[in-house]
Amino acid sequence: KAVVSTQSGHYGRGVNEEDQTRIISMQKGGDVKEVFSRLASGIEAVGKSVKDASGKEFLIDPKYGYMHSCPTNLGTGMRASVHVDLPGWTKEGPGKLEARCEQLNLQPRGTRGESGGQTGITYDISNKHRLGYSEVELVQCMIDGVNRLFLEDLVLQKKHNMF
């Protein structure tokens, strides 16, 4: 396994994890458009580099998207996520948040990854699906769902007298 990152930490690339390659774009704040734009540029640059070096391109099917070794990422392979504090949902319990995320086609995780468990009130919320949707649709699903969870969390905070 290997991970390469820029000095700013906004862009990285992992090799030989469950996918042959993983291209990551991230930053603090809420500018998802900037993160997505940087990701698209990064994918294009990595693809060009691979083609220049080997003469081959990433394998992509017009219907199913990019071909990966990890079946959970079949399709675009796009996992768009944000870290968000949800104290009201935390008070409700993890089962209720998981059920609500299921309704919104989202996946909640702890901030230490899918197997790192949940601590505190901060969650990593991402799109659940990868197959059958475009990258733009998946990012929009995540944005809409997180906005909905945030507004619902304010109601839950009030319910539990948290402010």
Side-chain angles (χ1 to χ4, degrees):
K1 292 182 181 183
V3 176
V4 179
S5 177
T6 60
Q7 192 170 13
S8 68
H10 289 167
Y11 179 79
R13 184 167 162 226
V15 181
N16 293 331
E17 291 190 11
E18 63 264 10
D19 300 312
Q20 286 94 355
T21 189
R22 177 178 292 175
I23 301 169
I24 303 163
S25 177
M26 60 190 161
Q27 73 185 42
K28 290 186 178 199
D31 194 343
V32 176
K33 184 177 180 182
E34 183 178 333
V35 174
F36 185 79
S37 178
R38 185 175 43 253
L39 177 65
S41 297
I43 292 169
E44 187 176 312
V46 170
K48 182 180 180 325
S49 175
V50 167
K51 186 171 183 175
D52 290 349
S54 68
K56 299 181 181 189
E57 297 181 14
F58 287 128
L59 183 58
I60 186 169
D61 181 275
K63 182 176 180 182
Y64 298 112
Y66 288 99
M67 300 295 135
H68 303 270
S69 61
C70 181
T72 62
N73 288 336
L74 183 63
T76 67
M78 166 70 77
R79 180 177 172 272
S81 70
V82 296
H83 287 186
V84 60
D85 290 346
L86 298 171
W89 279 109
T90 302
K91 190 83 167 168
E92 289 286 299
K96 291 197 177 182
L97 177 59
E98 287 173 18
R100 182 62 177 129
C101 284
E102 181 72 27
Q103 293 170 338
L104 297 170
N105 294 317
L106 299 175
Q107 180 180 35
R109 297 180 179 182
T111 55
R112 294 184 290 171
E114 60 188 305
S115 58
Q118 174 58 31
T119 60
I121 61 169
T122 307
Y123 295 85
D124 179 306
I125 306 289
S126 64
N127 54 293
K128 180 178 178 182
H129 301 296
R130 312 282 191 274
L131 182 60
Y133 302 91
S134 72
E135 290 88 346
V136 172
E137 289 172 315
L138 295 173
V139 170
Q140 193 62 55
C141 174
M142 183 272 301
I143 291 169
D144 293 344
V146 168
N147 285 336
R148 173 71 56 98
L149 287 173
F150 180 79
L151 292 174
E152 292 170 353
D153 191 76
L154 295 175
V155 173
L156 291 171
Q157 288 180 51
K158 191 171 185 177
K159 171 185 167 186
H160 293 291
N161 297 315
M162 298 176 79
F163 58 76

